Amino acid sequence: FPVECFADPCTVESCPEFPEAECVANYCEGCWADFYLDDEWLDCNSQTGCIDLTEIDFGDCDMALGIGWINDNCEYISGCDWVVDGIDYSNAFFDSMDECYETCVNSPPTETVSYTIQEGWNLVGLPLEVNNSSYQILFPSAIEGTLYSFDVGYNSEENLNPGTGYWLRFDGAGSNAVTGQEISNLTLSLNSDWNLISGITDAVDVANIQDPGGIIISGTIYGFDNGYAQADMIEPGNAYWLRTTEPGDVSLSSTGRQNYSESNQLLRS
């Protein structure tokens, strides 16, 4: 029901995202400050700019608050609450890294993964987001028509998808570099039995693979280098065989990231 205002709402409210907006007091079923710009109502709670959260202490708690701009970078931020010293910072957070970088620095930073190519078959993966994922663009020296994924059987492919592992053949040894946007988290949907997978931009210890359903059979993650060998790490750019007891999802995260060699050795047959 309507209530009596004790003050003009436009004298106590502001719209910091649109300082040039005109405030119009609205007494319909309450006491509201409505802001307009060029005769259009504005949502003053929407995120329209980049707010530096570097000096804000959100508390020593593990609750995920979101992605924010801190220390000149977009980072996942944890804390106790979005409200600090009476100020609500919830609108300073973003839903994705891309949105954060687009707002704060116009474009996400790029990463480069270097590959050492061996003559013959190589097991490869794509640990970055790229504009064109065609194997002929990413690996121009590859033999045409030799990119294969595995889904119960082998399938000829034209493009690489992050998280999927591939066989790819080359006429000779050499080097290759792929540049794109970092992938820090990835969920893999696995089939029952053997799967051919790849990882994210950072190396991930196999012990840190998130497997909530317990579907990964222990000791069955293998790389290949002149013979199969059990893998301890999921290295960026490499692909691995992994066996499960049943279909399900597992996740890779850059939490607890590991350094990897600047020249990334691919696995080959």
Side-chain angles (χ1 to χ4, degrees):
F1 53 90
V3 297
E4 182 179 350
C5 288
F6 294 98
D8 183 340
C10 288
T11 64
V12 295
E13 294 292 342
S14 63
C15 190
E17 294 292 346
F18 303 94
E20 70 278 22
E22 178 187 2
C23 181
V24 177
N26 178 359
Y27 301 103
C28 181
E29 296 187 356
C31 191
W32 311 96
D34 289 345
F35 289 87
Y36 293 86
L37 187 62
D38 296 330
D39 296 325
E40 291 190 11
W41 178 81
L42 302 174
D43 181 1
C44 293
N45 291 319
S46 65
Q47 171 63 279
T48 60
C50 183
I51 300 175
D52 190 351
L53 301 175
T54 301
E55 301 297 328
I56 309 301
D57 183 5
F58 291 98
D60 188 18
C61 300
D62 294 330
M63 183 175 71
L65 300 178
I67 299 168
W69 183 252
I70 182 170
N71 296 320
D72 296 324
N73 198 21
C74 290
E75 298 182 9
Y76 290 93
I77 300 177
S78 298
C80 301
D81 198 345
W82 292 271
V83 178
V84 178
D85 295 331
I87 300 175
D88 187 351
Y89 289 95
S90 58
N91 290 316
F93 290 86
F94 300 89
D95 294 328
S96 69
M97 284 289 186
D98 285 348
E99 182 186 3
C100 178
Y101 280 113
E102 183 178 351
T103 301
C104 295
V105 293
N106 296 322
S107 62
T110 58
E111 301 280 347
T112 298
V113 172
S114 298
Y115 298 80
T116 298
I117 307 262
Q118 301 295 334
E119 181 179 359
W121 289 100
N122 293 258
L123 272 178
V124 302
L126 179 60
L128 300 165
E129 293 284 356
V130 297
N131 292 328
N132 191 333
S133 61
S134 166
Y135 77 94
Q136 293 177 309
I137 298 296
L138 299 177
F139 302 97
S141 61
I143 299 174
E144 185 175 356
T146 63
L147 182 71
Y148 290 93
S149 64
F150 182 84
D151 184 4
V152 182
Y154 286 108
N155 301 292
S156 179
E157 305 285 0
E158 291 292 328
N159 298 286
L160 286 81
N161 291 317
T164 302
Y166 301 88
W167 284 110
L168 185 59
R169 193 174 185 183
F170 296 82
D171 275 330
S175 61
N176 193 83
V178 173
T179 298
Q181 297 171 14
E182 178 186 14
I183 298 175
S184 58
N185 298 277
L186 196 61
T187 297
L188 310 180
S189 294
L190 304 178
N191 295 320
S192 179
D193 209 15
W194 288 104
N195 297 262
L196 191 54
I197 68 162
S198 61
I200 58 176
T201 308
D202 292 310
V204 176
D205 192 311
V206 298
N208 292 332
I209 297 176
Q210 299 168 39
D211 180 18
I215 64 174
I216 298 175
I217 300 175
S218 179
T220 64
I221 301 178
Y222 291 94
F224 195 95
D225 186 10
N226 293 319
Y228 286 107
Q230 193 170 335
D232 296 322
M233 303 291 296
I234 304 297
E235 299 284 352
N238 289 350
Y240 301 86
W241 288 104
L242 178 154
R243 195 175 191 185
T244 65
T245 57
E246 59 182 291
D249 292 345
V250 301
S251 298
L252 306 177
S253 172
S254 59
T255 302
R257 63 181 58 182
Q258 302 286 333
N259 293 326
Y260 62 97
S261 172
E262 197 171 279
S263 178
N264 187 29
Q265 179 73 36
L266 290 186
L267 307 174
R268 67 179 180 88
S269 63

